[in-house]
Amino acid sequence: MKSYVGVPILVAIALLASVNTASAGYLGAASYRHCAGTSAGSFSCAKQQCYTVMKTCRDVVYEKQQYTCYRTAYETVFDTKTVDCVKYVPETHYRDCSYTVCKPVYETRYRTCTYNVCKPIWETRTKDICYTVCRPVWETRTKDVCYTVCRPVWQTYTKDICYTVCKPVWETRTKDVCYTVCKPVWETCTKDICYTVCKPVWETKTRTVCYTVRKPVYETCYRTVCRTICKPIHYTKQVQVCSGRWHTEVIECPGPVVQKCVQEPGCWTWDPCLCRCVYVPGASRMVEVQCPPRRVCKKTWIPEVCTKTVNCVRYERETVSEQVPYTTCRYICEPRTKTCTYRVCRMVPEQCVKTVTYRKCHMVRENVVKTCTYKVCRMVPEQCVKTVTYKKCHMVPEKVTKTCTYKVCRMVPEQVTKTCTYRVCRMTTECVTKQIPYTVCHYDKQVVTRQVPYTVCKPVHYQKTIQVPRCVATQVPYTVTRCVPRTVCKQVPVTVCCPVPTCGGKSHRGCKGCG
């Protein structure tokens, strides 16, 4: 933007320099010192001649230049690392747990019960029922039906259709558009603002509050509760018990026969080499010897059956009524009065003034002219003709006759008689005696052993491969564009006006008006 503002200033400087070079004064007066017969009094009557001179101007042009820079980029790289890990695997073990169980032993007994039963006696009877049945009788009939059918007949026709096609023709035009730009101008102002502030003022007040308290009153009442108890009845019974005893017999078994090495007794002989008596042992031989007998104790079980008297207990249910106390609660309302202290806040208004600084903006209009290029399209009509083939259908009526077959049903009444069999029941009272079983239970203590599972966490060592992240710094190239100023020399046309000199028919090199 700054380079475009400086262009008119450079053009004005070049124009003044070209006028000084041509030796032209103010108001169009010029000096022609090389022309003979020229005086100062003839300058006012000189003719003006304008021509264009090319002036060399320097302009600053900004060129875009790209160069490469480097920035540091951090990239995450994962390294493979093997680490030792420990995981705990649950393992189930069992331990023996002994506990006592009261096992119920049920015994079934019977008691005789006599009751009356109403026994049904069925009798089979028959009766004749007359009724009327309508039997359908079907008849087949035929009739002729006449109807009209429209058959389509197609014919092919052709016709010419004239239509107009508009072809677009584009023209490029230019126009100057004047528009107004509003530039904001900010102005700082101050003003006083009056506002009201409410200050709280607290007051302490008292008031009497009436409330009701519900006091519980407890009363003891009694109610009759029926419960069933099991009453033990002791009795004895004879039981056949299979028992026995062990009989011990002592049996003498002969000892086994074993082979034993026996050495015969030796003798003393004279050894002339040693000049003394030497003991010579006897010969060894194998002899079969029987071991001493042994006693074996043999136990024999002798079974015996005996009768024992066993004390038994059976439980019979008995309903007992008893008075059970319970507590009833009822509430009595009692009015009470208390004094409450509370605080009341009232707001007192107070006037305050503060100075506020604000900025005010007013828009200044500025007229701007720009040249717009636009394209105008106009449609040129053109006549075209095309031939269209079409088909036309007309319906030709045709009469058709067909024979329809249908059935007619008529109902014929018919008398039918059927024999119905039915049963009649009459109740007869009969006395029946039956045995009603009931169960008597007694508990036997029994020691039971069960396997109780428990879990033990066993450590298992293993190796695991993990990815360990680390940051690697790399230099990443990127392209940066910058504007480099460059001075350009260009020729600018400048218009110069000077009077036509009188040079006696010779052209002067300082003035181009001499012919």
Side-chain angles (χ1 to χ4, degrees), residues 369-427:
V369 179
K370 70 176 180 179
T371 302
C372 297
T373 303
Y374 63 97
K375 297 177 83 175
V376 178
C377 176
R378 57 187 181 85
M379 307 302 287
V380 178
E382 183 179 348
Q383 295 290 331
C384 297
V385 179
K386 69 176 178 180
T387 303
V388 179
T389 302
Y390 64 96
K391 296 176 100 177
K392 190 174 181 182
C393 174
H394 59 275
M395 308 300 289
V396 177
E398 183 178 347
K399 288 191 175 182
V400 180
T401 303
K402 69 175 181 179
T403 303
C404 297
T405 302
Y406 63 96
K407 285 187 172 184
V408 178
C409 177
R410 59 188 181 84
M411 306 302 290
V412 177
E414 184 178 347
Q415 292 289 331
V416 180
T417 302
K418 71 175 180 179
T419 302
C420 293
T421 303
Y422 64 97
R423 299 176 71 190
V424 177
C425 176
R426 56 188 182 85
M427 306 301 289

Side-chain angles (χ1 to χ4, degrees), residues 254-274:
V257 178
V258 296
Q259 289 186 354
K260 186 177 181 181
C261 183
V262 179
Q263 190 177 11
E264 294 180 356
C267 62
W268 293 88
T269 60
W270 176 259
D271 190 356
C273 295
L274 299 175

